């Protein structure tokens, strides 16, 4: 949604961006003179009564809060929202559009009811109500965007909603990170996270070291350290549609390969993000006692996340679409940084990840462990598949968000000018 706001601002439109108070937007959003932030307080659920009662009360209070906020803003030509989350925001946005005589645009990234079904099962009354709600209010929109052709077809066949495919694309700041910037980032992260600190004391008093880089303080020249670990990165919202036990099991196998004498590097595995299951998985991680693998789970500043992706050696994606129709934004960002990816299989993943071309697709922890072994064998000197994947990503000249948005969304808005 921040990308949409920036694209609209780039074309001279005033934007009011509604979002939670606790979430800090990207610096480009904060610096834009065309974007005004409208804060919404993050409601904490009631702790009294049955869970269903708590949920219903929370939705009602959210609806009142959101409608009140939307009726206070300047009259908009369009109200653009992302779904999910759509309960209660689609209905509230529709009411606000009636009041303001605005056009409603929904950007479909998934179906909210399929995410709910991960917890409650597809036949749960709440899930069925959410499905009915999503279809009903989805049809009341004026324009619809979606993230895959598979979702475009499903919206039309099952919901009678006509949508335009706007693939998620990386912003311009997702790119390979120069070595000097990598070193600066590692130095910053080393203050808080052990895996980024140097493994040994520096041989030279003139050198500044991290686990991955060293800088000659006389001339500022940065090189990668000899025998450095490989940097593996994954990002997550720590929800039920990503099973991180798959990665942890694969890392156990990777550790065993090293113990058996396979020529593999040590690993630093960084899992970024925050969400409801983070504490649960941190508990599992703390029980693991690796000699050759270090895991850390930081929450990165918005400006640091692209820099870390652009510094990594391999990305891992465990997003398993609840609907089978959306694509993981994290892989889009990784590809923007020319970072090869190992991603878990689901139905429409082929629209993004091309197996053996820009990454690898796996189905279980054993397959992922084998892929890690193959890709990191002889690292960093051996120019194998990892090198070829990165070369293919560099050569692919992917469309960036700005160009894609101008081609797809701008004409849509022009229809109503």
């Amino acid at each position: 949604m921040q990308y949409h706001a920036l694209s609209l601002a780039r074309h001279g439109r005033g934007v009011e961006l509604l979002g939670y108070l606790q979430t800090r937007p990207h610096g480009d959003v904060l610096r834009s003179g065309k974007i005004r932030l409208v804060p919404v307080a993050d409601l904490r659920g009631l702790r009294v009564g049955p869970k269903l009662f708590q949920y219903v009360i929370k939705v009602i209070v959210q609806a009142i809060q959101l409608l009140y906020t939307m009726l206070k803003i300047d009259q908009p030509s369009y109200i653009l929202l992302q779904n999910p989350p759509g309960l209660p925001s689609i209905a509230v946005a529709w009411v606000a559009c009636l009041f303001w005589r605005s056009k409603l645009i929904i950007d479909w990234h998934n179906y909210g009811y399929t995410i709910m079904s991960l917890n409650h099962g597809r036949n749960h009354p709440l899930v069925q109500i959410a499905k009915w709600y999503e279809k009903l209010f989805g049809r009341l929109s004026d324009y619809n965007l979606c993230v895959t052709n598979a979702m475009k077809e499903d919206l039309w066949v099952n919901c009678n909603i006509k949508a335009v495919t706007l693939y998620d694309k990386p912003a311009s700041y997702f790119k390979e990170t120069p070595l000097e910037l990598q070193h600066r980032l590692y130095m910053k992260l080393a203050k808080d996270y052990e895996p980024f600190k140097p493994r040994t004391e520096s041989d030279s008093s003139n050198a500044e070291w991290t686990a991955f880089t060293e800088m000659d303080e006389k001339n500022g020249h940065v090189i990668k350290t000899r025998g450095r670990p490989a940097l593996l990165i994954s990002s997550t919202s720590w929800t039920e549609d990503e099973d991180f036990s798959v990665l942890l099991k694969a890392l156990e196998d990777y550790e065993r390969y090293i113990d058996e004498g396979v020529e593999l590097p040590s690993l630093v595995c960084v899992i970024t993000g925050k969400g409801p299951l983070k504490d649960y998985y941190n508990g599992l991680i703390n029980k693991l006692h690796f000699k050759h693998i270090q895991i850390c789970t930081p929450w990165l500043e918005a400006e640091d996340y692209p820099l870390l992706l652009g510094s990594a050696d391999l990305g891992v994606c465990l997003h398993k679409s609840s609907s089978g129709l959306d694509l993981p934004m994290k892989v889009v960002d990784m590809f923007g940084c020319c970072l090869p990816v190992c991603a878990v299989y689901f139905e429409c993943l082929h629209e993004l990840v091309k197996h053996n071309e820009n990454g690898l697709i796996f189905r279980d922890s054993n397959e992922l462990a084998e892929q890690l072994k193959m890709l990191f064998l002889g690292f960093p000197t051996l120019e194998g598949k990892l090198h070829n994947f990165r070369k293919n990503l560099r050569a692919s000249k992917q469309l960036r968000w700005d160009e894609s948005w101008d081609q797809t969304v701008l004409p849509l808005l022009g229809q109503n000018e």
Side-chain angles (χ1 to χ4, degrees), residues 119-273:
N119 257 342
H120 304 292
R122 292 214 170 227
N123 298 320
H124 192 282
L126 257 184
V127 175
Q128 292 303 311
I129 291 168
K131 184 177 181 179
W132 168 83
Y133 160 87
E134 217 161 353
K135 284 186 175 184
L136 172 68
F137 283 95
R139 290 192 195 107
L140 298 174
S141 59
D142 295 285
Y143 304 110
N144 293 274
L145 308 168
C146 63
V147 290
T148 64
N149 286 328
M151 180 169 272
K152 176 183 175 180
E153 187 178 342
D154 191 83
L155 281 166
W156 177 247
V157 171
N158 293 316
C159 308
N160 202 29
I161 293 171
K162 192 175 180 181
V164 174
T165 303
L166 173 68
Y167 283 113
D168 279 327
K169 295 291 179 184
S172 56
Y173 45 78
F174 283 97
K175 57 191 175 186
E176 291 182 82
T177 306
L179 207 49
E180 289 76 14
L181 260 182
Q182 285 186 34
H183 180 73
R184 227 176 296 159
L185 176 68
Y186 296 147
M187 287 297 295
K188 179 181 176 181
L189 293 173
K191 292 174 185 173
D192 298 309
Y193 303 105
E194 191 67 32
F196 292 93
K197 293 177 181 175
R199 299 291 186 273
T200 55
E201 288 298 314
S202 170
D203 297 334
S204 164
S205 57
N206 296 323
E208 183 181 72
W209 284 48
T210 70
F212 304 93
T213 53
E214 59 179 290
M215 185 183 80
D216 188 324
E217 291 184 324
K218 284 183 178 176
N219 56 24
H221 182 61
V222 178
I223 59 169
K224 292 184 177 180
T225 55
R226 287 182 63 187
R228 68 181 176 92
L231 180 55
L232 185 75
I233 188 163
S234 187
S235 62
T236 178
S237 49
W238 298 106
T239 48
E240 288 83 0
D241 59 355
E242 291 180 293
D243 182 3
F244 266 82
S245 65
V246 173
L247 176 59
L248 299 182
K249 176 69 176 68
L251 292 178
E252 287 183 272
D253 289 344
Y254 185 92
E255 174 94 353
R256 182 171 49 80
Y257 295 145
I258 296 178
D259 289 340
E260 290 170 355
V262 182
E263 192 189 332
L264 293 168
S266 297
L267 274 188
V268 170
C269 177
V270 180
I271 307 169
T272 71

Side-chain angles (χ1 to χ4, degrees), residues 341-392:
V341 169
C342 291
V344 70
Y345 171 84
F346 63 89
E347 279 175 27
C348 69
L349 185 63
H350 65 274
E351 291 191 37
L352 179 61
V353 181
K354 314 295 181 193
H355 187 68
N356 264 326
E357 187 179 315
N358 53 18
L360 297 171
I361 295 170
F362 62 88
R363 290 173 186 266
D364 55 35
S365 60
N366 293 333
E367 214 172 338
L368 175 58
E370 286 295 328
Q371 289 175 1
L372 294 178
K373 180 170 78 168
M374 175 189 67
L375 293 173
F376 286 131
L377 198 64
F379 177 92
T381 51
L382 193 65
E383 292 195 351
K385 278 200 170 183
L386 201 57
H387 174 77
N388 291 334
F389 292 161
R390 196 179 285 271
K391 208 162 68 172
N392 291 342

Side-chain angles (χ1 to χ4, degrees), residues 7 13 32 37 50 66 90 107 121-122 125 131 142 185 233 237 259 304 314 318 340 346 359 396:
S7 293
R13 295 174 186 259
S32 173
L37 298 178
L66 189 57
I90 301 178
D107 188 0
R122 292 214 170 227
K131 184 177 181 179
D142 295 285
L185 176 68
I233 188 163
S237 49
D259 289 340
D304 288 341
L314 181 67
L318 292 157
F346 63 89
S396 65

